[in-house]
Amino acid sequence: MSADPLNRAGTPQRSTTSQPPSGSGASAIEVRRSARRRRTVSAYREGDRTVVLIPARMSEAEEQRWVSVMLDKLAAQESKRVLGDTELAERAQRLSAQYFDGRARPASVRWVTNQNTRWGSCTPSEGSIRLSHRLQGMPEYVVDYVLVHELAHLLVPGHGPRFWRLLEAYPRTERARGYLEGVVAADRLPHPPTSRGE
């Protein structure tokens, strides 16, 4: 999925920038069309943008479909990277700055392996946030939602209306909650017995 060096080196192309569909990790999507590109589509992150390279002859409908496919592929690649505790704490600081003007200041943010019924927890009096290891490998927007949720608890301890108003700032709240509900539902499905040969 790396960028085609020919297209990045000044090949004539048409470029459009748009806001991403909800759930993508970037703040903007730039689609670059190239007459030299015949069939291949590629994508990469460039700062806070996602750049998608497509053939110039593609229709608008094909462009939309391929942008969605490439965003999903990038998200899948990124979700395979496991963040360490230091990266998780840095991410929490960025999210606090972005959604809460930096007012939520955790003293510690770390992964834990003893949370099997909750995705995350927060102790406001200590300023500590813990995320379940089960989130590792899930899409970034889901991990970000859980972090934002726990950061919000540093500002409002309970789950009252004021708390949920704070979470409205995060645009992927509903999508992330739906994803997590799907994971829980899938875990509850009966698993067919495996044959002895497996």
Side-chain angles (χ1 to χ4, degrees):
M1 277 209 270
S2 61
D4 181 344
L6 290 175
N7 283 331
R8 296 187 77 183
T11 303
Q13 55 197 8
R14 183 169 58 90
S15 177
T16 57
T17 302
S18 62
Q19 292 305 309
S22 67
S24 71
S27 61
I29 300 163
E30 181 178 340
V31 177
R32 295 180 186 168
R33 290 174 171 264
S34 170
R36 285 194 180 182
R37 188 174 283 271
R38 297 287 177 220
R39 288 187 294 267
T40 61
V41 176
S42 62
Y44 60 94
R45 302 281 193 214
E46 188 175 80
D48 64 349
R49 293 180 305 155
T50 300
V51 178
V52 181
L53 306 167
I54 65 172
R57 62 173 174 70
M58 271 193 184
S59 69
E60 290 294 321
E62 287 175 311
E63 175 183 318
Q64 287 179 4
R65 184 176 73 81
W66 275 107
V67 165
S68 179
V69 165
M70 299 312 286
L71 288 174
D72 287 346
K73 282 187 177 184
L74 282 174
Q77 278 184 343
E78 291 165 349
S79 72
K80 289 177 184 168
R81 278 186 316 133
V82 175
L83 300 174
D85 287 349
T86 301
E87 293 169 303
L88 199 61
E90 289 168 359
R91 191 177 202 133
Q93 286 179 342
R94 284 195 306 273
L95 291 167
S96 175
Q98 185 173 359
Y99 296 109
F100 305 127
D101 298 320
R103 292 178 296 131
R105 295 188 186 118
S108 68
V109 182
R110 62 190 173 91
W111 295 107
V112 293
T113 57
N114 62 351
Q115 286 188 154
N116 294 316
T117 59
R118 295 195 291 183
W119 297 113
S121 61
C122 174
T123 307
S125 62
E126 298 173 3
S128 63
I129 291 175
R130 295 160 305 280
L131 264 56
S132 171
H133 72 286
R134 296 178 303 140
L135 289 164
Q136 293 174 339
M138 289 190 187
E140 285 186 0
Y141 74 92
V142 176
V143 176
D144 285 353
Y145 163 72
V146 177
L147 275 172
V148 169
H149 184 108
E150 301 309 332
L151 286 166
H153 279 309
L154 292 176
L155 303 173
V156 179
H159 286 104
R162 197 166 140 243
F163 172 83
W164 293 110
R165 277 195 300 278
L166 276 177
L167 273 190
E168 287 173 3
Y170 184 67
R172 299 177 194 94
T173 292
E174 289 306 314
R175 184 173 181 180
R177 290 183 72 186
Y179 184 99
L180 293 171
E181 287 169 8
V183 170
V184 170
D187 284 346
R188 290 181 182 153
L189 291 173
H191 298 286
T194 58
S195 64
R196 290 179 182 247
E198 292 180 13

